[in-house]
Amino acid sequence: MNRSLWQDQAGEPGVIRESPIPSNIADNEILVKVQAWAMNPADAMVQDVPLPFIKYPLILGEDVAGTVEKIGSAVDGFQAGDRVLGLALGAAVAKPEQGAFQEYVILDHSMACKLPDSLSFTEASVFPLCIATAAHGLFSKDYLGLPFPTTSTPVYSTGKSIFIWGGSSGVGGNAIQLCKAAGFEVFTTASARNFEYVKGLGADHVYDYNDPDVIRNIVADLDKGECVGVLQAAGDVPPSCQVAHQSKQNLRVVATNPVPEGAAPEGVEAKMIFASGGAVIYHETNPATFAGYLPEALAKGAYKVAPPPEVVPTKGLEGIQEALDSVKKGVSAKKLVTLAN
């Protein structure tokens, strides 16, 4: 049997239910036996907040790592027994039964990649949603449209910079690495205690977002060269918009959070990263993620685990609610992970 954590409606804990292990999968899908689930702030939000584009009941979750059990007839590059990480897109593709929080999950094969032996399931589970979101905002033509990252050494320098608000967040830590691999100088913010962490990921300049002069200092340094845009990876959107507004350059802001009305001053374009359409929309940026840069970089040891995982004590689906409750209390520079066994 398969066990799944269902969310019947917003504002209540998930409920574990049993169902048969899926026997029929589409031509482009793979069936994965999950070994680790990672929690995202979006999971905790959807559990508590009845968003208009979410229909209940559904199985929550996006991030998984595990072993391939079965492949669809059109799948190439995977076989049973492969160790993989993957992004479950249940709610995004109107398949509420295909969320991540279950023991056997169906994935679109383009939203998965193989793991090197050096990477554990725990470590691998932190990547999927963070890198997919960062890559979509950075490389999609609808957003910043930057050139794709490469594993070549040395990396070609564009001579340009990018600013990332929230470098120690999950999206921020992946965005830093992707931007460095694409040849950009990276400016970012973090709390003082996370300076060394983001520098270790490749950030060139780090600013304390608690500094009252942080925006003025960032703008002064960015305007010494050419900046290609602003990625708001975490926190409130208005400070990122103010960086763009006060800069003498025409900086576009892409944000992981909704852009509140009035947050973007006149003349500043600010747009939320929204990957409607599921796997189809992510195909544009797959050269920077699951089907391109990521598996190569992981195999070469050129990509760091970001954010670092922290495993909750309770294993199995029973531990997911424990992890979500901890996410709601707030976490910094880490990602909570629940192990299957």
Side-chain angles (χ1 to χ4, degrees), residues 293-333:
Y293 171 75
L294 182 62
E296 295 176 9
L298 291 176
K300 291 182 177 181
Y303 202 80
K304 296 185 178 181
V305 176
E310 180 178 300
V311 177
V312 299
T314 305
K315 294 183 178 181
L317 291 176
E318 290 78 6
I320 290 178
Q321 189 61 57
E322 175 184 336
L324 289 174
D325 291 341
S326 295
V327 170
K328 295 170 188 178
K329 297 175 183 177
V331 296
S332 176

Coordinates of all heavy atoms in Angstrom, one line a residue, residues 293-333:
Y293 N 22.5 21.7 -16.0 CA 23.6 22.1 -15.2 C 23.6 21.3 -13.9 O 24.7 20.9 -13.4 CB 23.5 23.6 -14.9 CG 24.4 24.1 -13.8 CD1 25.8 24.2 -14.1 CD2 24.0 24.4 -12.5 CE1 26.7 24.7 -13.1 CE2 24.9 24.8 -11.5 CZ 26.2 24.9 -11.8 OH 27.1 25.3 -10.8
L294 N 22.5 21.2 -13.2 CA 22.5 20.6 -11.8 C 23.1 19.2 -11.8 O 24.0 19.0 -11.0 CB 21.1 20.6 -11.3 CG 21.0 20.0 -9.8 CD1 21.8 20.9 -8.9 CD2 19.5 19.9 -9.4
P295 N 22.6 18.2 -12.6 CA 23.3 16.9 -12.5 C 24.8 16.9 -12.8 O 25.5 16.2 -12.2 CB 22.5 16.0 -13.5 CG 21.8 17.0 -14.4 CD 21.5 18.2 -13.6
E296 N 25.2 17.7 -13.7 CA 26.6 17.8 -14.1 C 27.4 18.4 -12.9 O 28.5 17.9 -12.5 CB 26.8 18.7 -15.3 CG 26.2 18.1 -16.6 CD 26.3 19.0 -17.8 OE1 27.0 20.1 -17.6 OE2 25.7 18.8 -18.8
A297 N 26.8 19.5 -12.3 CA 27.5 20.2 -11.2 C 27.6 19.3 -10.0 O 28.6 19.3 -9.3 CB 26.8 21.5 -10.9
L298 N 26.5 18.6 -9.7 CA 26.5 17.6 -8.6 C 27.5 16.5 -8.8 O 28.3 16.2 -7.8 CB 25.1 17.0 -8.3 CG 24.0 18.0 -7.9 CD1 22.7 17.3 -7.8 CD2 24.4 18.6 -6.5
A299 N 27.6 16.0 -10.0 CA 28.5 14.9 -10.3 C 30.0 15.4 -10.1 O 30.8 14.6 -9.7 CB 28.3 14.4 -11.7
K300 N 30.3 16.6 -10.5 CA 31.6 17.2 -10.4 C 31.9 17.7 -9.0 O 33.1 18.1 -8.7 CB 31.8 18.3 -11.4 CG 31.8 17.8 -12.8 CD 32.1 19.0 -13.8 CE 32.2 18.5 -15.2 NZ 32.4 19.6 -16.2
G301 N 30.9 17.7 -8.1 CA 31.1 18.3 -6.8 C 31.3 19.8 -6.8 O 31.8 20.4 -5.9
A302 N 30.7 20.4 -7.8 CA 30.8 21.9 -8.0 C 29.6 22.6 -7.5 O 29.6 23.9 -7.6 CB 31.0 22.2 -9.5
Y303 N 28.7 21.9 -6.9 CA 27.5 22.6 -6.4 C 27.3 22.2 -4.9 O 27.3 21.0 -4.6 CB 26.3 22.2 -7.2 CG 25.1 23.2 -7.2 CD1 25.1 24.3 -7.9 CD2 24.0 22.9 -6.3 CE1 24.1 25.2 -7.9 CE2 22.9 23.8 -6.3 CZ 23.0 25.0 -7.1 OH 21.9 25.9 -7.0
K304 N 27.0 23.2 -4.1 CA 26.9 22.9 -2.6 C 25.5 22.7 -2.2 O 24.6 23.3 -2.8 CB 27.6 24.1 -1.8 CG 29.0 24.2 -2.1 CD 29.6 25.3 -1.2 CE 31.2 25.4 -1.4 NZ 31.8 26.4 -0.5
V305 N 25.3 21.9 -1.2 CA 24.0 21.7 -0.6 C 23.5 23.0 0.0 O 24.1 23.4 1.0 CB 24.0 20.5 0.4 CG1 22.6 20.3 1.0 CG2 24.4 19.2 -0.3
A306 N 22.4 23.5 -0.5 CA 21.9 24.8 0.0 C 20.4 24.8 -0.1 O 19.8 24.6 -1.2 CB 22.5 26.0 -0.7
P307 N 19.7 25.1 1.1 CA 20.3 25.3 2.4 C 20.6 23.9 3.0 O 20.1 22.9 2.6 CB 19.2 26.0 3.2 CG 17.9 25.5 2.5 CD 18.3 25.3 1.1
P308 N 21.5 23.9 4.1 CA 21.8 22.7 4.7 C 20.6 22.0 5.3 O 19.7 22.7 5.9 CB 22.8 23.1 5.8 CG 23.3 24.4 5.4 CD 22.2 25.1 4.7
P309 N 20.4 20.7 5.3 CA 19.3 20.0 5.8 C 19.4 19.9 7.3 O 20.5 19.7 7.9 CB 19.3 18.7 5.1 CG 20.7 18.4 4.9 CD 21.4 19.8 4.6
E310 N 18.3 19.9 8.0 CA 18.2 19.5 9.4 C 17.0 18.5 9.5 O 15.9 18.8 9.2 CB 17.9 20.7 10.3 CG 17.8 20.4 11.8 CD 17.6 21.6 12.6 OE1 18.4 22.5 12.6 OE2 16.5 21.7 13.4
V311 N 17.4 17.3 10.0 CA 16.4 16.2 10.0 C 15.6 16.3 11.3 O 16.1 16.4 12.4 CB 17.1 14.8 9.9 CG1 16.1 13.7 10.0 CG2 17.9 14.7 8.6
V312 N 14.3 16.2 11.2 CA 13.4 16.2 12.4 C 13.4 14.8 13.0 O 13.7 13.8 12.3 CB 12.0 16.6 12.0 CG1 11.9 18.0 11.4 CG2 11.3 15.6 11.1
P313 N 13.2 14.7 14.3 CA 13.3 13.4 15.0 C 12.4 12.4 14.5 O 12.8 11.2 14.4 CB 13.1 13.8 16.5 CG 13.4 15.3 16.6 CD 13.0 15.8 15.2
T314 N 11.1 12.7 14.2 CA 10.1 11.7 13.9 C 10.2 11.3 12.4 O 10.2 12.2 11.5 CB 8.7 12.2 14.2 OG1 8.6 12.6 15.5 CG2 7.7 11.1 13.9
K315 N 10.3 10.0 12.1 CA 10.5 9.5 10.8 C 9.1 9.2 10.2 O 8.1 9.1 10.8 CB 11.4 8.3 10.7 CG 12.8 8.6 11.1 CD 13.7 7.3 11.0 CE 15.1 7.7 11.4 NZ 16.0 6.5 11.2
G316 N 9.1 9.0 8.8 CA 7.9 8.7 8.1 C 7.0 9.9 8.0 O 7.3 11.0 8.3
L317 N 5.8 9.6 7.4 CA 4.8 10.6 7.1 C 4.4 11.3 8.4 O 4.1 12.5 8.5 CB 3.6 10.1 6.5 CG 3.8 9.6 5.0 CD1 2.5 9.0 4.5 CD2 4.2 10.8 4.1
E318 N 4.5 10.6 9.6 CA 4.1 11.2 10.8 C 5.0 12.4 11.2 O 4.6 13.2 12.0 CB 4.2 10.1 11.9 CG 3.1 9.0 11.8 CD 3.4 8.0 10.8 OE1 4.5 8.0 10.2 OE2 2.5 7.1 10.6
G319 N 6.2 12.4 10.7 CA 7.2 13.5 11.0 C 7.0 14.7 10.1 O 7.5 15.8 10.5
I320 N 6.2 14.6 9.1 CA 6.0 15.8 8.2 C 5.2 16.9 8.9 O 5.6 18.1 8.8 CB 5.3 15.4 6.9 CG1 6.2 14.5 6.1 CG2 4.8 16.6 6.1 CD1 5.7 14.0 4.8
Q321 N 4.2 16.6 9.7 CA 3.4 17.6 10.4 C 4.3 18.3 11.4 O 4.3 19.5 11.6 CB 2.2 17.0 11.0 CG 1.3 18.1 11.6 CD 0.8 19.0 10.6 OE1 0.1 18.6 9.6 NE2 1.0 20.3 10.7
E322 N 5.2 17.5 12.1 CA 6.1 18.0 13.0 C 7.0 19.0 12.4 O 7.3 20.1 12.9 CB 6.9 16.9 13.6 CG 8.0 17.3 14.6 CD 8.9 16.1 15.1 OE1 8.4 15.0 15.1 OE2 10.1 16.4 15.4
A323 N 7.5 18.7 11.2 CA 8.4 19.6 10.4 C 7.7 20.8 10.0 O 8.2 21.9 10.1 CB 9.0 18.8 9.2
L324 N 6.5 20.7 9.5 CA 5.7 21.8 9.1 C 5.4 22.8 10.2 O 5.5 24.0 10.1 CB 4.4 21.4 8.4 CG 4.5 20.7 7.1 CD1 3.1 20.2 6.6 CD2 5.0 21.7 6.0
D325 N 5.1 22.2 11.4 CA 4.9 23.1 12.5 C 6.1 23.9 12.9 O 6.1 25.1 13.3 CB 4.4 22.2 13.7 CG 3.0 21.7 13.5 OD1 2.3 22.2 12.7 OD2 2.7 20.7 14.2
S326 N 7.3 23.3 12.7 CA 8.6 24.0 13.0 C 8.8 25.1 12.0 O 9.3 26.2 12.3 CB 9.7 23.0 13.0 OG 9.6 22.1 14.1
V327 N 8.5 24.8 10.7 CA 8.6 25.8 9.6 C 7.8 27.0 10.0 O 8.2 28.2 9.8 CB 8.2 25.2 8.3 CG1 8.2 26.3 7.2 CG2 9.3 24.2 7.8
K328 N 6.6 26.8 10.5 CA 5.7 27.9 10.8 C 6.3 28.8 11.9 O 5.9 30.0 12.0 CB 4.3 27.4 11.2 CG 3.6 26.7 10.1 CD 2.4 25.9 10.6 CE 1.8 25.1 9.5 NZ 0.6 24.3 10.0
K329 N 7.1 28.3 12.7 CA 7.8 29.0 13.8 C 9.0 29.8 13.3 O 9.5 30.7 14.0 CB 8.2 28.1 14.9 CG 7.1 27.4 15.6 CD 7.6 26.4 16.7 CE 6.4 25.6 17.3 NZ 6.9 24.6 18.3
G330 N 9.5 29.5 12.1 CA 10.6 30.2 11.5 C 11.9 29.4 11.5 O 12.2 28.8 12.6
V331 N 12.5 29.3 10.4 CA 13.9 28.7 10.3 C 14.8 29.6 9.5 O 14.3 30.4 8.7 CB 13.8 27.3 9.6 CG1 13.0 26.3 10.4 CG2 13.2 27.4 8.2
S332 N 16.1 29.5 9.7 CA 17.0 30.4 9.0 C 18.2 29.6 8.5 O 18.8 28.8 9.3 CB 17.5 31.5 10.0 OG 18.5 32.3 9.4
A333 N 18.5 29.8 7.3 CA 19.7 29.2 6.6 C 19.7 27.6 6.8 O 20.8 27.0 7.0 CB 21.0 29.8 7.2

